């Protein structure tokens, strides 16, 4: 059947959707946690309030991505998490610390709130760096060499700064006054670091992976791959120009940096996905080699086509309900 042969591609697309939505949505709230100040309780409360209605639901997309990998590509799941067991464990610890700190800071005496702010910040940094390290090792094909680990560490810092970038642009959109001015400064700095990170990936990725090098240099794919870095650098330039003009009268345009960063994330993810397709594990397993039996995929597809629209719907609804500037944080 034509459907059976295309099922691995469909599930690869669904998994890619879950990953990119997670990187954007949980990326900004991880970024807010990374940027959380420990010497300004008012700003900390305002930053926490800006992500309060969303942060827990944002992690749904991570669960969905991992679940799709496990069910649709079990062989790849086993191989990936065998190679990335320790950073995946660090990621879970970071997410647990964030969840515990978020709830505890609302219930402890005021003198202990700063302690849980520290835990929330540490958990955010740990989760962000773990994700970056996992991405770096994936790009390096899970090589156990000094250069591979060095690149993975560089990737960990790069992803953390990328999350800080989208987190700061989220704060520009959601806050006002002194905190918004601080967020503008953070966004300018993180944008410069993100530019360096994009250049590093563009240089290293084709050099260490012959398949990626061929795809980047052989027409017609080379034309498409050349467009993505160009658009990314244009977005960084335009984003910095917009930041230099903010804040404007009546706070108009405060949403522009976030939208520009969102498109930047989409461009970078598209470049990585296109570079490795159809490999689900670089140079080891394609999506067809790793896929479950067609009968299983057909059954799972029915559930996915029901669940994913529901997740999209309640995500859109929650953002619609809590749209606008953040209000003063209150606990009842």
């Amino acid at each position: 059947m034509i459907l059976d042969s295309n099922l691995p591609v469909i599930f690869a697309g669904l998994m890619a959707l879950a990953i990119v939505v997670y990187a954007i949505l949980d990326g900004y709230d991880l970024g807010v946690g990374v940027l959380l100040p420990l010497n300004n309780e008012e700003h900390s409360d305002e930053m926490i309030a800006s992500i309060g209605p969303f942060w827990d639901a944002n992690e749904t997309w991570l669960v969905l991505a991992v679940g799709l990998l496990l069910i649709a590509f079990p062989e790849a799941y086993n191989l990936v998490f065998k190679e990335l067991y320790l950073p995946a464990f660090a990621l879970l610890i970071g997410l647990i610390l964030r969840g515990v700190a978020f709830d505890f800071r609302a219930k402890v005496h005021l003198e202990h709130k700063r302690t849980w702010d520290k835990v929330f910040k540490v958990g955010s940094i740990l989760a962000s760096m773990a994700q970056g390290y996992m991405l770096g090792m994936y790009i390096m094909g899970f090589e156990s060499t000094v250069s591979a680990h060095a690149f993975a560490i560089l990737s960990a810092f790069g992803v953390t700064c990328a999350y800080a970038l989208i987190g700061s642009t989220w704060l520009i959109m959601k806050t006002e006054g002194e905190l918004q001015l601080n967020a503008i400064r953070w966004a300018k700095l993180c944008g410069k670091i993100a530019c360096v990170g994009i250049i590093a990936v563009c240089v290293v990725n084709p050099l260490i992976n012959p398949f990626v090098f061929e795809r980047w240099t052989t027409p017609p794919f080379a034309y498409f791959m050349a467009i993505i870095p160009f658009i990314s650098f244009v977005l960084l330039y335009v984003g910095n120009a917009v930041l230099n003009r903010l804040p404007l009268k009546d706070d108009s345009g405060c949403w522009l940096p976030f939208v520009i960063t969102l498109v930047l994330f989409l461009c970078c993810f598209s470049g990585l996905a296109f570079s490795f397709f159809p490999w689900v594990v670089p140079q080891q397993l394609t999506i067809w080699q790793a896929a479950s039996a067609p009968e299983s995929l057909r059954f799972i597809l029915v559930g996915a086509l029901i669940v994913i629209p529901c997740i999209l719907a309640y995500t859109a609804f929650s953002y619609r309900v809590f749209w606008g500037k953040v209000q003063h944080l209150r606990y009842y």
Side-chain angles (χ1 to χ4, degrees), residues 136-143 201-217 272 275-277 279 281-284:
M137 291 301 293
Y138 180 86
I139 291 174
M140 296 297 292
F142 305 122
E143 292 182 8
V201 171
C202 289
V203 171
V204 172
N205 201 2
L207 289 180
I208 57 94
N209 195 317
F211 176 81
V212 174
F213 180 83
E214 181 180 355
R215 176 154 290 185
W216 283 31
T217 56
L272 281 174
S275 296
F276 288 104
F277 183 84
W279 298 99
V281 178
Q283 302 301 307
Q284 298 186 53

Side-chain angles (χ1 to χ4, degrees), residues 178-228:
E178 184 183 354
L179 178 54
Q180 187 184 55
L181 294 175
N182 288 340
I184 291 171
R185 290 199 300 271
W186 296 334
K188 290 178 182 178
L189 175 61
C190 293
K192 293 180 176 64
I193 299 175
C195 182
V196 174
I198 292 172
I199 293 173
V201 171
C202 289
V203 171
V204 172
N205 201 2
L207 289 180
I208 57 94
N209 195 317
F211 176 81
V212 174
F213 180 83
E214 181 180 355
R215 176 154 290 185
W216 283 31
T217 56
T218 304
F221 300 120
Y223 303 132
F224 176 74
M225 293 309 303
I227 292 173
I228 291 179

Side-chain angles (χ1 to χ4, degrees), residues 4 6-16 63-78 280 285-301 304 308:
D4 287 352
N6 289 322
L7 280 171
V9 179
I10 294 172
F11 274 94
L14 293 175
M15 192 169 67
V63 176
L64 177 63
V66 175
L68 287 173
L69 179 63
L70 170 62
I71 297 171
F73 307 105
E75 192 173 348
Y77 175 90
N78 293 333
V280 66
L285 284 174
T286 67
I287 57 175
W288 291 281
Q289 293 170 334
S292 297
E295 295 80 6
S296 299
L297 293 179
R298 285 200 301 269
F299 178 79
I300 300 164
L301 182 61
I308 293 177

Side-chain angles (χ1 to χ4, degrees), residues 9-77:
V9 179
I10 294 172
F11 274 94
L14 293 175
M15 192 169 67
L17 172 67
I19 292 172
V20 72
V21 174
Y22 170 77
I24 292 170
L25 297 186
D26 206 39
Y28 79 72
D29 71 56
L30 283 169
V32 170
V34 169
L35 296 169
L36 194 74
L38 300 177
N39 57 355
N40 191 321
E41 183 178 333
E42 181 181 353
H43 285 183
S44 296
D45 283 348
E46 196 170 351
M47 292 169 69
I48 291 292
S50 75
I51 63 174
F54 313 112
W55 73 275
D56 204 11
N58 291 342
E59 293 177 359
T60 303
W61 293 97
L62 177 62
V63 176
L64 177 63
V66 175
L68 287 173
L69 179 63
L70 170 62
I71 297 171
F73 307 105
E75 192 173 348
Y77 175 90

Side-chain angles (χ1 to χ4, degrees), residues 47-260:
M47 292 169 69
I48 291 292
S50 75
I51 63 174
F54 313 112
W55 73 275
D56 204 11
N58 291 342
E59 293 177 359
T60 303
W61 293 97
L62 177 62
V63 176
L64 177 63
V66 175
L68 287 173
L69 179 63
L70 170 62
I71 297 171
F73 307 105
E75 192 173 348
Y77 175 90
N78 293 333
L79 182 56
V80 168
F81 282 96
K82 182 185 75 172
E83 298 290 345
L84 299 177
Y85 180 82
L86 289 179
F89 178 75
L91 169 61
L92 291 176
I93 293 298
L95 295 177
I96 291 170
L97 289 176
R98 277 169 50 85
V100 171
F102 193 93
D103 285 335
F104 273 44
R105 77 182 302 278
K107 297 177 175 63
V108 297
H109 294 294
L110 292 178
E111 61 267 22
H112 298 305
K113 183 188 287 188
R114 187 178 177 185
T115 298
W116 290 107
D117 282 346
K118 291 178 182 177
V119 174
F120 188 79
K121 188 179 183 76
V122 169
S124 300
I125 294 173
L126 181 60
S128 301
M129 295 197 69
Q131 290 180 31
Y133 186 88
M134 293 167 74
L135 175 63
M137 291 301 293
Y138 180 86
I139 291 174
M140 296 297 292
F142 305 122
E143 292 182 8
S144 186
T145 61
V146 174
S147 59
H149 289 292
F151 179 78
I153 292 172
L154 176 64
S155 176
F157 282 103
V159 168
T160 302
C161 288
Y163 284 167
L165 172 61
I166 197 169
S168 59
T169 58
W170 170 263
L171 292 172
I172 293 170
M173 183 172 62
K174 296 290 287 184
T175 64
E176 299 174 307
E178 184 183 354
L179 178 54
Q180 187 184 55
L181 294 175
N182 288 340
I184 291 171
R185 290 199 300 271
W186 296 334
K188 290 178 182 178
L189 175 61
C190 293
K192 293 180 176 64
I193 299 175
C195 182
V196 174
I198 292 172
I199 293 173
V201 171
C202 289
V203 171
V204 172
N205 201 2
L207 289 180
I208 57 94
N209 195 317
F211 176 81
V212 174
F213 180 83
E214 181 180 355
R215 176 154 290 185
W216 283 31
T217 56
T218 304
F221 300 120
Y223 303 132
F224 176 74
M225 293 309 303
I227 292 173
I228 291 179
F230 175 76
I231 294 176
S232 298
F233 292 126
V234 168
L235 288 170
L236 286 168
Y237 177 81
V238 172
N240 189 68
V242 170
L243 290 170
N244 286 331
R245 296 177 62 86
L246 294 179
L248 298 174
K249 185 178 180 180
D250 299 327
D251 209 22
S252 59
C254 63
W255 51 272
L256 266 174
F258 183 78
V259 172
I260 291 171

